[in-house]
Amino acid sequence: MNITIIGCGYVGLTTGVALAYLKHNVIGIDKDLNKIMLLKQRKSPIHERGLEILLQETPKWIEFQSDINQAAADADVIIIAVGTPAKKNGEADTSSVEEAARDIAFGLKENRSYTVVVKSTVPIGSNRRVETVINRVLNSRGISAEVSIASNPEFLREGMALSDTFYPDRIVAGSESEKAIEVLRKMYQPILEQTFNPPSFLPRPEHYNLPPLVTTNPASAEMIKYAANAFLALKISYINEIGGLCEKVGADVTEVARGIGLDPRIGARFLNAGIGWGGSCFPKDTSALLALGTEYNYSMSIVEASRNVNLRQRQIVLEKLQTQLKVLRGRTIGILGLAFKPDTDDVRESPVLEIIKLLIERGANVRVHDPVALANAQKVLAGFEIDYFDDPYTVAAGCDALILITEWDYYRNLDFIKLKTEMKIPFLLDGRNFLNPSELKNAGFIYEGIGR
Ligand code: NAD
């Protein structure tokens, strides 16, 4: 199939490269010319395992450009995968989706049929809005084309994006048009039936079950995405709330999480207590859900509570430092990890951004390290006085405390004795309960986790 993808970010690029690997003819479009320049050289603008390898393996099947017109005109399927960040009032900003829809419509050819797929996470009703925008442009051009719209929300996890794309739990397709659903079924057929040869670095997981295609109407498909993200965020906030009480009563939240997670009705995943969730999805999607509730005068107190608990987790980091060091002014605090989770360079809404700002407000000196996210963090923290290092031992030099923010595997294998020797006060706050407390204590650290 000829597929055009608008937006070559974490979702669009991963989807495009995977579809190219499945031997669809793909054109990736982005208005960011730097991204397009890198992609033309088959270099990935984002850190995502295997993406660059597949980019280099699929030169015949995927190309990149910034001009949407011709790419839309000759496509069978056009996928919108642009960003939908939060507006100041919490609602999702769908202006890029509408802009993409308009640009697509200006490219469509008379008397041809197209399927336009909305993959971006969008508020309920946005698919209909995309249809209206496209039809309005077609009317203004005085041409007609058969355009079917489908919602196809994305569930990939950054850091695991290709794996989640090739081996999803489910694929959701929401449309009023039978034809659009059939087009999506055909496009995803190799994944639905797992008929492709897996990339060498990404074998099919053992005991992997074929993913169902969940077909529904557009409103339900749009809601599935928000409801899924809000539930996952809630699970983490729940264990964090339990973790706070664990600390007070002398229980260990990691043991409690294990004990409850073995119940299949609960499940072990997303029960890791720590400094809370961040990233490009949970914060904006929970706020969009709340905004949607407000629009209908419907209170969503569970989602709201989950956000409040999450914000409290960042304050807890400060409280723990203050308990240990008393005064933060003039102290040097080292940060290990800036990405909102491991295996990605994405720092959008990473809890560390707020923590760093709070530390600087209180007069602390901040030194930071991350294996891949330093450059992105530097951009979003421009203007703050922070020392950036590409070596964790240099970060530790002279520190009154170290905080582990991102559970990169790399940090598990640090030479902790060497790390401790560099520090003024060997206080290590493990914001993810990721390191081994006894190993750290044996190395001479004052170790503290969250909720234990
Ligand atoms: P991103 O910011 O990484 O990428 C979006 C890209 O779209 C950017 O490269 C931007 O330059 C481009 N763009 C914006 N407007 C454009 C336009 N009019 N024409 C051409 N290009 C345009 O965003 P992302 O993380 O890939 O997320 C995309 C969507 O998918 C969002 O709605 C997000 O909520 C959703 N989503 C993201 C994830 C994730 O883990 N990142 C997972 C599931 C769903």
Side-chain angles (χ1 to χ4, degrees):
M1 285 172 135
N2 291 332
I3 300 171
T4 291
I5 301 202
I6 322 291
C8 293
Y10 290 85
V11 166
L13 184 57
T14 307
T15 309
V17 167
L19 291 172
Y21 182 80
L22 302 175
K23 302 209 174 354
H24 290 298
N25 288 306
V26 182
I27 300 180
I29 303 283
D30 205 291
K31 63 178 186 183
D32 180 338
L33 298 180
N34 287 332
K35 247 178 210 181
I36 293 297
M37 194 183 65
L38 280 172
L39 288 166
K40 282 185 173 196
Q41 298 162 26
R42 317 310 282 188
K43 288 191 184 138
S44 172
I46 55 171
H47 176 90
E48 193 61 53
R49 192 167 93 85
L51 204 51
E52 199 157 279
I53 303 177
L54 284 200
L55 262 174
Q56 286 162 11
E57 279 181 11
T58 51
K60 263 187 18 218
W61 301 100
I62 185 164
E63 59 180 85
F64 299 94
Q65 61 188 59
S66 51
D67 178 27
I68 211 169
N69 274 22
Q70 198 56 43
D74 296 332
D76 304 308
V77 181
I78 303 160
I79 301 177
I80 301 178
V82 298
T84 46
K87 290 201 265 193
K88 278 215 168 68
N89 66 359
E91 283 172 24
D93 180 351
T94 54
S95 53
S96 294
V97 174
E98 294 203 13
E99 186 188 340
R102 256 189 307 277
D103 291 346
I104 290 167
F106 277 110
L108 301 185
K109 279 186 195 157
E110 173 108 60
N111 296 331
R112 207 175 162 281
S113 74
Y114 298 93
T115 303
V116 174
V117 175
V118 181
K119 195 169 254 314
S120 300
T121 303
V122 287
I124 320 307
S126 300
N127 276 262
R128 195 169 300 143
R129 176 79 195 140
V130 163
E131 190 168 14
T132 310
V133 170
I134 291 177
N135 284 335
R136 193 172 287 161
V137 173
L138 290 178
N139 284 341
S140 75
R141 292 176 59 205
I143 65 163
S144 65
E146 189 196 334
V147 183
S148 317
I149 314 282
S151 164
N152 174 219
E154 180 54 60
F155 302 98
L156 65 74
R157 296 162 294 172
E158 285 178 24
M160 307 278 287
L162 274 175
S163 170
D164 287 345
T165 305
F166 284 117
Y167 312 116
D169 305 315
R170 78 291 204 193
I171 294 177
V172 173
S175 183
E176 307 289 3
S177 152
E178 282 290 325
K179 195 171 164 195
I181 299 273
E182 284 322 304
V183 168
L184 278 177
R185 197 189 298 281
K186 192 168 159 216
M187 183 177 92
Y188 284 123
Q189 194 170 15
I191 292 178
L192 290 168
E193 295 173 6
Q194 290 291 306
T195 47
F196 62 92
N197 284 327
S200 55
F201 58 89
L202 211 55
R204 189 166 290 122
E206 250 179 80
H207 312 302
Y208 174 69
N209 290 324
L210 292 183
L213 179 72
V214 179
T215 58
T216 179
N217 61 38
S220 304
E222 290 162 335
M223 185 57 96
I224 285 170
K225 176 63 195 172
Y226 281 113
N229 270 0
F231 186 79
L232 293 171
L234 171 70
K235 236 183 138 182
I236 301 174
S237 284
Y238 175 74
I239 201 66
N240 275 332
E241 184 165 273
I242 294 293
L245 197 57
C246 281
E247 279 193 15
K248 298 203 184 296
V249 302
D252 180 337
V253 74
T254 60
E255 304 285 313
V256 174
R258 184 170 136 71
I260 65 174
L262 285 166
D263 181 335
R265 291 170 303 174
I266 297 175
R269 291 160 77 188
F270 280 72
L271 281 184
N272 299 325
I275 55 170
W277 39 267
S280 67
C281 292
F282 290 2
K284 80 170 174 63
D285 292 350
T286 49
S287 90
L289 202 54
L290 285 183
L292 197 62
T294 306
E295 206 182 313
Y296 288 84
N297 200 16
Y298 183 75
S299 100
M300 306 216 43
S301 41
I302 294 180
V303 179
E304 200 163 353
S306 139
R307 285 174 59 84
N308 291 339
V309 168
N310 197 50
L311 287 181
R312 187 171 68 186
Q313 293 311 107
R314 295 163 195 191
Q315 293 291 341
I316 286 174
V317 170
L318 270 280
E319 285 162 23
K320 282 179 182 284
L321 286 175
Q322 278 167 335
T323 306
Q324 184 63 37
L325 304 173
K326 309 300 177 210
V327 179
L328 293 183
R329 185 164 300 279
R331 297 286 192 184
T332 301
I333 311 294
I335 303 271
L336 297 181
L338 297 161
F340 84 94
K341 66 171 180 172
D343 303 320
T344 178
D345 57 350
D346 197 348
V347 298
R348 288 178 285 183
E349 299 284 331
S350 175
V352 77
L353 304 178
E354 178 75 11
I355 291 170
I356 289 177
K357 286 175 192 167
L358 291 171
L359 286 170
I360 290 176
E361 255 171 47
R362 281 162 181 71
N365 310 314
V366 178
R367 301 160 71 80
V368 303
H369 170 267
D370 189 283
V372 303
L374 277 183
N376 281 346
Q378 252 163 322
K379 277 184 225 149
V380 298
L381 289 167
F384 288 91
E385 234 177 78
I386 298 166
D387 296 314
Y388 296 87
F389 297 96
D390 53 15
D391 167 48
Y393 303 99
T394 319
V395 165
C399 274
D400 296 290
L402 271 180
I403 316 174
L404 184 129
I405 295 280
T406 316
E407 58 275 49
W408 285 100
D409 255 347
Y410 171 77
Y411 292 143
R412 222 196 278 276
N413 302 316
L414 291 176
D415 177 344
F416 288 106
I417 299 202
K418 181 170 171 210
L419 202 67
K420 191 220 137 199
T421 331
E422 297 290 343
M423 296 177 69
K424 195 147 91 198
I425 302 177
F427 178 53
L428 195 147
L429 178 53
D430 182 354
R432 300 290 183 183
N433 294 336
F434 175 65
L435 302 170
N436 181 331
S438 352
E439 195 190 327
L440 270 284
K441 283 176 192 158
N442 289 341
F445 276 97
I446 308 161
Y447 171 91
E448 189 152 350
I450 307 273
R452 54 203 316 204

